[in-house]
């Protein structure tokens, strides 16, 4: 995930932003801080302090925090305030149960698009692979996680299926958070390269099979690095 400024301006060149836009920007800024672990699991978030950090008023921040409670990334404290929800093993299991079939279908459809002559999305996959290798060589874990996430998002973009895209967008932040918490072993990059090889060849079933292997291995890596389980 790309690095973001520690502040979020409240207005652009065109004048003050609409309240809904400010709330959305506050939500994204808080999410980014959870993903890159500036807001650690279990950390209490104080509305006033978050608003000051983001250079925003408290109203959009309050709305953003409420939205993140609803989405399950924050939880209400017994008396007042919120804290970053700690990820449990069941959360990881549930996420992979949903993501696995969707990721496999996305690769299948992306390869089908290539087979039909639509090569436009391959540049995004190539860029993500290159960025992951560069980040790994520089030992930049956050940038490597961003590249891995971008790779999967680029596969989805190639499908041309708006329903699948919207469905996976709902999982996007949970996946980014999970990728940021787990280890990123080198063979995960190799698996992405294998997925790319089959997608770029338009080999539908090989693309699906390599993605299934990757997602199941990703699940094992997450459980092992976060909970000591295989």
């Amino acid at each position: 995930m790309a690095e973001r400024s520690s502040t979020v301006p409240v207005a652009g060149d065109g004048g003050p932003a609409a309240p809904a836009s400010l709330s959305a920007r506050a939500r994204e800024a808080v999410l980014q801080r959870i993903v890159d672990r500036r807001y650690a699991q279990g950390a209490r978030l104080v509305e006033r302090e978050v608003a000051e950090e983001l250079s925003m008023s408290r109203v959009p921040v309050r709305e953003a925090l409420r939205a993140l409670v609803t989405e399950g990334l924050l939880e209400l404290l017994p008396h007042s305030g919120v804290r970053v929800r700690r990820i449990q093993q069941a959360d990881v299991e549930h996420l992979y149960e949903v993501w696995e079939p969707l990721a496999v279908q996305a690769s299948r459809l992306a390869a089908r698009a290539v087979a039909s002559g639509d090569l436009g999305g391959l540049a995004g996959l190539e860029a993500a692979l290159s960025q992951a290798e560069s980040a790994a060589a520089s030992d930049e874990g956050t940038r490597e996680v961003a590249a891995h996430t971008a790779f999967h998002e680029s596969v989805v973009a190639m499908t041309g299926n708006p329903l699948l895209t919207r469905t996976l967008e709902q999982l996007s932040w949970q996946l980014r958070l999970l990728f940021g918490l787990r280890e990123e072993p080198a063979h995960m990059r190799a698996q992405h390269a294998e997925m790319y090889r089959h997608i770029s060849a338009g080999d539908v079933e090989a693309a699906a099979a390599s993605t299934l292997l990757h997602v199941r291995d990703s699940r094992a890596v997450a459980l092992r690095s976060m909970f000591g389980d295989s």
Side-chain angles (χ1 to χ4, degrees), residues 62-85:
R62 183 181 306 130
E63 293 172 351
L65 296 180
R66 286 173 177 170
L68 292 173
V69 168
T70 301
E71 294 171 35
L73 293 174
L74 299 178
E75 60 185 359
L76 292 172
L77 291 170
H79 301 293
S80 64
V82 297
R83 67 183 172 196
V84 180
R85 185 171 176 271

Side-chain angles (χ1 to χ4, degrees), residues 173-205:
W173 280 106
Q174 289 92 329
L175 289 169
R176 291 187 189 194
L177 176 58
L178 185 61
F179 293 167
L181 292 172
R182 72 176 194 197
E183 298 171 351
E184 289 294 332
H187 72 269
M188 304 299 282
R189 298 194 302 278
Q191 289 175 354
H192 280 173
E194 184 73 1
M195 289 169 60
Y196 169 78
R197 186 169 71 84
H198 295 308
I199 291 172
S200 64
D203 190 333
V204 173
E205 293 311 316

Side-chain angles (χ1 to χ4, degrees), residues 132-201:
E133 290 294 339
S134 171
S138 303
D139 196 24
E140 297 179 66
T142 299
R143 193 159 68 90
E144 184 179 354
V145 168
H148 288 324
T149 305
F151 180 85
H152 286 286
E153 291 176 345
S154 295
V155 172
V156 174
M158 290 181 67
T159 70
N161 185 316
L163 180 57
L164 181 60
T165 299
R166 289 196 300 271
T167 302
L168 281 165
E169 280 176 353
Q170 296 177 31
L171 304 179
S172 175
W173 280 106
Q174 289 92 329
L175 289 169
R176 291 187 189 194
L177 176 58
L178 185 61
F179 293 167
L181 292 172
R182 72 176 194 197
E183 298 171 351
E184 289 294 332
H187 72 269
M188 304 299 282
R189 298 194 302 278
Q191 289 175 354
H192 280 173
E194 184 73 1
M195 289 169 60
Y196 169 78
R197 186 169 71 84
H198 295 308
I199 291 172
S200 64

Side-chain angles (χ1 to χ4, degrees), residues 27-177:
R27 173 186 171 276
E28 182 174 343
V30 172
L31 277 169
Q32 186 63 44
R33 283 157 173 77
I34 295 172
V35 167
D36 64 23
R37 287 174 275 184
R38 278 179 282 176
Y39 295 163
Q41 291 189 64
R44 181 172 181 264
L45 300 186
V46 178
E47 178 186 301
R48 172 182 51 78
E49 294 175 355
V50 174
E52 290 176 357
E53 182 180 352
L54 300 183
S55 299
M56 301 178 77
S57 69
R58 294 175 65 169
V59 172
V61 169
R62 183 181 306 130
E63 293 172 351
L65 296 180
R66 286 173 177 170
L68 292 173
V69 168
T70 301
E71 294 171 35
L73 293 174
L74 299 178
E75 60 185 359
L76 292 172
L77 291 170
H79 301 293
S80 64
V82 297
R83 67 183 172 196
V84 180
R85 185 171 176 271
R86 295 185 183 277
I87 294 179
Q88 306 297 321
Q89 183 167 334
D91 298 323
V92 177
E93 297 279 12
H94 295 160
L95 180 58
Y96 275 96
E97 286 171 358
V98 174
W99 184 44
E100 179 182 300
L102 296 176
V104 170
Q105 183 65 3
S107 286
R108 183 180 282 114
L109 293 176
R112 186 180 299 170
V114 171
S116 67
D118 184 0
L119 308 181
L122 292 177
L125 299 184
E126 293 165 0
L129 290 174
S130 177
Q131 289 165 10
E133 290 294 339
S134 171
S138 303
D139 196 24
E140 297 179 66
T142 299
R143 193 159 68 90
E144 184 179 354
V145 168
H148 288 324
T149 305
F151 180 85
H152 286 286
E153 291 176 345
S154 295
V155 172
V156 174
M158 290 181 67
T159 70
N161 185 316
L163 180 57
L164 181 60
T165 299
R166 289 196 300 271
T167 302
L168 281 165
E169 280 176 353
Q170 296 177 31
L171 304 179
S172 175
W173 280 106
Q174 289 92 329
L175 289 169
R176 291 187 189 194
L177 176 58

